[in-house]
Amino acid sequence: MPQSRQIWLARAAQALVLLVLALGVAWLVQHALGVLRARGVRSGFDFLLQPAGFQIGEGWLDFDAGQPFWRAFLAGLVNTVRAAVPAMVLAVALGTLLGIGRLVPHVLLRGLCAAYVETLRNIPLLVQLLMIYFALTQLLPDATQALRLGQGVWLSKSGLSVPWPVWEPGAFWPQALEWPERGDFNISGGAALTPEYLSVVLALGLYTAAFVAEVVRAGIQSVSAGQVLAGLALGFSPGQQLRVVVLPQALRVIVPSLTNQLLNLTKNSSLAVAVGYPELVSVANTSLNQTGRAFECIAVIMAVYLSLSLLITGLMNRYNARVALRGWS
Amino acid sequence: MIEFRTGRAALITAAAVFAALGLAQPALAGKTLDGVKQRGSINCGVTSGVAGFSAPDTQGNWSGLDVDTCRAIAAAVLGDPKKVNFVPLNSQQRFSALQAGEVDILARNTTWTLTRDASLGFNFTTITYYDGQGFLVPKKLKINSPKQLKNAEICTQSGTTNEKNVSDYFRAQNIKVKTVVFESFEASFKAFFSGRCQAFTTDSSALAGLRNKEAKNPDDYVILPELISKEPLAPVVRRGDDEWFAIVKWVPNALLEAEEYGITQANADQLKADSKDPAVQRILGSSDDTGKLLGLDKDWAYRAVKAVGNYGEIFERNVGPKSVLKLPRGANNLWNKGGLMYGLPVR
């Protein structure tokens, strides 16, 4: 068979598969909508413009029950990011230290790092999350007996309350600081990092750090021993060997795997619903129940996570292009 | 040849996808009653554990008011109250499970609201419990009305009418509160009892059970007398099957009528044999055949009462004085005893 004919055949087959797949998806959607209609179930995304009617406990984006559902979803998304980003920083920083720690000559330190990795990565994240949450809510003092850590800083079951600037409506700069105060039965005012938020960030960060540690370790070990010896021959100190010789080469191995870990972390943040942190899935669950639009709410969750993940992948790929070996593809 | 093989694999995949689509015919929900009879059992959607309404014991035996409703229907339809598969559903799954036909009845302390009735493709049948949303608070906070909960944190479960009611109530009162919303009921009350929130809110029927069963010291907590919402709980069926709708609607009515006319689990046999009261005769099927009109037989209501007792007995056993909840009859008393329970006439 001539080569060109083979290529043509292969392309035609691929196009056919794509067409069939598209038709299949279209048929499934059409069919599902038909069944829903036949059973008298309302469908469509029009509910996004209706007032949500429920509250969102905490977050960067102020949300009032009178605002529409789409804004509730947005507030949920902002809360997802609010938890995922600090957790990523924690995971990468701690994971890098742990990964390096697993390779140091010091036996005790190496053992501790190994123990951390093997313990944390082998216990389901949900279990760890609940464990941290219930430990926090059990151990912290009641809101009525909040610990005063300093001027306007309180620690209690209501979380860590700190002073927070307040904006007048329409103003660009904050006018004043709002100080948390001890009320009749809890701390009010200021900003609070709730136990829900703290446990989500901690659980996601600590768990993912164990995986990042392995990625970092693998990356460092992928650099051939000759490179380290060369560094040694040039008179570099162990720290310099790591910084100047090993890490730049290790990053080429680390970054692609690290991207996977960051994606996992972002998606795992959906477990936060278990401890009452109002992130995207929590908001979507509530919306789903208030409106009964199961398909639509799940579709929103999928679309948002897909976009978030693609965004992270895009950013990491750009970084990867910078650290990758030039001239190799 | 690699290209050619890829091409062939793709064609096979395409064929498989086509075949799968062809086979995936819509699972048309046939007549529910026929399905139930063929299967020999009723699939009843319940909670995964709300004391008094539907909860499994350590041996996996279900009990509760909603559970008894399903048992009564099984007795009326299949002649055996044991022929029920209880399907535990969380509040997020429940509506999809009924829509998809996974359950025949949803008896999962579900509040009858316009949105649910009009937009989910459901019919609510008969109210089996008049509930209202209440608050549980630690006694030491010395709160006696929800209005004093300014700036408080309130624990509740997501995906319930409760979440929205709290928000509505405090908005109307112009009081700022913070809700902490958990996916599971267990997590929500555990967080409250660990002191995370200053108040816990759910249907008041569940509050008593929680306080008695879950609190380290039940006396440390009080249930506020004020209720902030109406929660009429009713079994739900899919729309579009009027025959099944009628059955699920009339069995609870028959149990209410049975209470009104003094028919109990204990005296049903004797009354069936020698009662002269035409109403009693009609309910127990010793005169008119009301069952035929529902697609059942003459003894349908007799079997339902025989299986679980009349409404009053069900109430007393599951949520009333004989249960851990010890709830007063209140709004759930019969209409002629000062309550709202008005059994439609079985005739």
Side-chain angles (χ1 to χ4, degrees):
Chain A
M1 213 182 315
Q3 184 116 32
S4 63
R5 199 173 129 78
Q6 279 179 18
I7 292 172
W8 184 86
L9 232 167
R11 290 214 178 126
Q14 281 169 15
L16 187 66
V17 170
L18 207 65
L19 183 72
V20 169
L21 205 66
L23 280 176
V25 169
W27 180 83
L28 278 176
V29 169
Q30 195 62 34
H31 177 69
L33 287 178
V35 170
L36 288 178
R37 245 195 316 276
R39 293 192 177 157
V41 181
R42 295 289 167 108
S43 55
F45 285 94
D46 52 320
F47 75 98
L48 286 173
L49 302 175
Q50 306 267 322
F54 59 87
Q55 286 190 330
I56 294 179
E58 60 177 306
W60 279 337
L61 194 66
D62 276 334
F63 181 77
D64 176 78
Q67 289 174 322
F69 276 104
W70 66 265
R71 220 187 126 92
F73 279 109
L74 190 65
L77 168 63
V78 169
N79 277 349
T80 296
V81 174
R82 174 177 179 250
V85 171
M88 282 182 194
V89 174
L90 176 63
V92 172
L94 182 64
T96 308
L97 292 179
L98 284 166
I100 295 169
R102 288 202 68 175
L103 296 170
V104 294
H106 194 293
V107 177
L108 184 62
L109 188 59
R110 206 169 60 208
L112 279 176
C113 291
Y116 178 95
V117 169
E118 293 308 339
T119 314
L120 272 280
R121 74 169 179 176
N122 288 316
I123 298 174
L125 176 57
L126 181 61
V127 178
Q128 294 185 32
L129 178 61
L130 289 171
M131 191 70 197
I132 293 176
Y133 181 64
F134 286 113
L136 273 182
T137 47
Q138 292 288 347
L139 296 178
L140 291 174
D142 252 26
T144 45
Q145 288 133 21
L147 279 179
R148 191 166 171 279
L149 300 179
Q151 176 76 19
V153 181
W154 300 88
L155 186 66
S156 72
K157 281 180 177 151
S158 297
L160 182 70
S161 299
V162 291
W164 198 252
V166 280
W167 278 262
E168 297 291 323
F172 188 72
W173 296 105
Q175 263 69 44
L177 276 181
E178 191 185 60
W179 294 88
E181 276 168 23
R182 182 141 66 170
D184 294 336
F185 42 70
N186 66 354
I187 309 290
S188 60
L193 296 177
T194 62
E196 292 83 37
Y197 175 71
L198 292 174
S199 39
V200 170
V201 172
L202 277 178
L204 284 174
L206 296 181
Y207 176 78
T208 313
F211 292 88
V212 172
E214 287 298 274
V215 169
V216 170
R217 183 174 67 100
I220 292 175
Q221 284 182 329
S222 74
V223 179
S224 74
Q227 297 286 323
V228 182
L229 293 177
L232 198 64
L234 289 171
F236 286 158
S237 70
Q240 279 176 318
Q241 286 167 31
L242 193 66
R243 202 159 41 79
V244 183
V245 180
V246 179
L247 276 184
Q249 300 185 66
L251 275 177
R252 288 167 201 148
V253 177
I254 292 173
V255 171
S257 306
L258 186 64
T259 308
N260 284 339
Q261 295 309 326
L262 296 186
L263 289 176
N264 278 345
L265 186 148
T266 313
K267 287 177 285 180
N268 284 342
S269 71
S270 60
L271 289 174
V273 65
V275 294
Y277 178 67
E279 43 69 72
L280 181 72
V281 173
S282 164
V283 170
N285 268 346
T286 300
S287 309
L288 190 161
N289 249 275
Q290 304 295 355
T291 59
R293 308 281 169 96
F295 263 113
E296 292 81 351
C297 289
I298 304 283
V300 169
I301 299 181
M302 284 167 60
V304 170
Y305 276 113
L306 185 62
S307 320
L308 257 184
S309 297
L310 288 176
L311 184 72
I312 294 169
T313 311
L315 289 175
M316 288 303 283
N317 282 349
R318 284 186 65 171
Y319 180 63
N320 192 34
R322 274 182 49 195
V323 298
L325 213 51
R326 316 257 170 226
W328 290 58
S329 67
Chain B
M1 282 309 281
I2 288 167
E3 283 87 352
F4 182 68
R5 260 191 236 119
T6 330
R8 202 167 56 177
L11 284 174
I12 292 168
T13 316
V17 170
F18 261 126
L21 288 178
L23 288 175
Q25 282 302 314
L28 282 176
K31 290 262 181 198
T32 313
L33 182 59
D34 296 342
V36 163
K37 281 182 174 162
Q38 209 168 39
R39 199 188 312 133
S41 64
I42 293 177
N43 291 334
C44 173
V46 291
T47 67
S48 48
V50 171
F53 288 86
S54 46
D57 64 12
T58 45
Q59 271 96 50
N61 301 313
W62 288 85
S63 66
L65 198 124
D66 284 338
V67 164
D68 281 348
T69 305
C70 283
R71 290 222 168 100
I73 294 164
V77 175
L78 299 167
D80 185 351
K82 288 193 203 72
K83 290 187 172 165
V84 187
N85 305 321
F86 292 103
V87 183
L89 299 168
N90 70 24
S91 46
Q92 283 93 25
Q93 298 163 330
R94 56 180 162 181
F95 298 129
S96 312
L98 182 62
Q99 283 169 345
E102 245 179 88
V103 294
D104 305 308
I105 308 167
L106 183 70
R108 197 202 166 283
N109 57 0
T110 298
T111 305
W112 189 340
T113 67
L114 184 142
T115 311
R116 288 172 176 179
D117 200 352
S119 74
L120 298 180
F122 294 157
N123 276 323
F124 283 76
T125 55
T126 300
I127 295 169
T128 52
Y129 193 92
Y130 287 96
D131 214 337
Q133 186 175 342
F135 291 90
L136 186 64
V137 294
K139 199 176 259 172
K140 63 174 186 213
L141 297 183
K142 297 190 178 60
I143 288 171
N144 45 41
S145 158
K147 293 190 184 70
Q148 290 165 281
L149 288 169
K150 185 163 180 270
N151 288 327
E153 286 151 306
I154 301 174
C155 284
T156 190
Q157 192 198 359
S158 80
T160 57
T161 46
N162 301 144
E163 200 183 346
K164 197 166 179 172
N165 291 334
V166 172
S167 166
D168 283 356
Y169 175 82
F170 289 106
R171 268 171 84 202
Q173 304 283 338
N174 207 7
I175 297 171
K176 228 181 99 186
V177 295
K178 211 192 113 179
T179 49
V180 185
V181 181
F182 296 84
E183 191 182 28
S184 82
F185 191 56
E186 286 76 17
S188 66
F189 66 70
K190 282 201 174 116
F192 168 69
F193 285 120
S194 78
R196 171 67 186 90
C197 295
Q198 288 81 49
F200 177 78
T201 185
T202 189
D203 290 356
S204 69
S205 60
L207 291 177
L210 279 182
R211 185 181 64 169
N212 297 347
K213 267 177 59 186
E214 304 291 341
K216 254 179 241 143
N217 183 5
D219 291 336
D220 288 349
Y221 297 91
V222 283
I223 296 171
L224 301 182
E226 201 169 325
L227 299 181
I228 63 162
S229 73
K230 292 181 285 187
E231 308 286 338
L233 310 182
V236 197
V237 295
R238 273 182 301 280
R239 210 182 271 190
D241 188 343
D242 290 353
E243 197 184 9
W244 183 245
F245 175 41
I247 293 169
V248 180
K249 177 164 63 180
W250 280 99
V251 170
N253 274 305
L255 297 177
L256 282 169
E257 278 247 288
E259 185 186 5
E260 197 175 330
Y261 290 101
I263 307 168
T264 64
Q265 200 170 8
N267 71 12
D269 283 318
Q270 179 227 327
L271 287 178
K272 186 173 168 64
D274 56 20
S275 175
K276 298 284 175 288
D277 185 338
V280 173
Q281 287 179 337
R282 267 197 296 271
I283 296 166
L284 293 177
S286 41
S287 57
D288 312 25
D289 185 355
T290 51
K292 196 165 67 190
L293 309 174
L294 289 171
L296 303 173
D297 64 10
K298 218 170 163 177
D299 290 335
W300 66 281
Y302 159 76
R303 280 196 307 267
V305 177
K306 229 9 226 170
V308 294
N310 65 38
Y311 180 78
E313 291 176 282
I314 295 174
F315 188 97
E316 198 155 301
R317 183 171 61 236
N318 293 308
V319 296
K322 285 185 188 164
S323 71
V324 282
L325 303 191
K326 305 203 178 351
L327 294 171
R329 200 63 198 269
N332 293 296
N333 215 332
L334 291 181
W335 63 283
N336 52 9
K337 290 180 183 157
L340 296 171
M341 282 296 174
Y342 188 94
L344 305 180
V346 178
R347 66 168 182 252

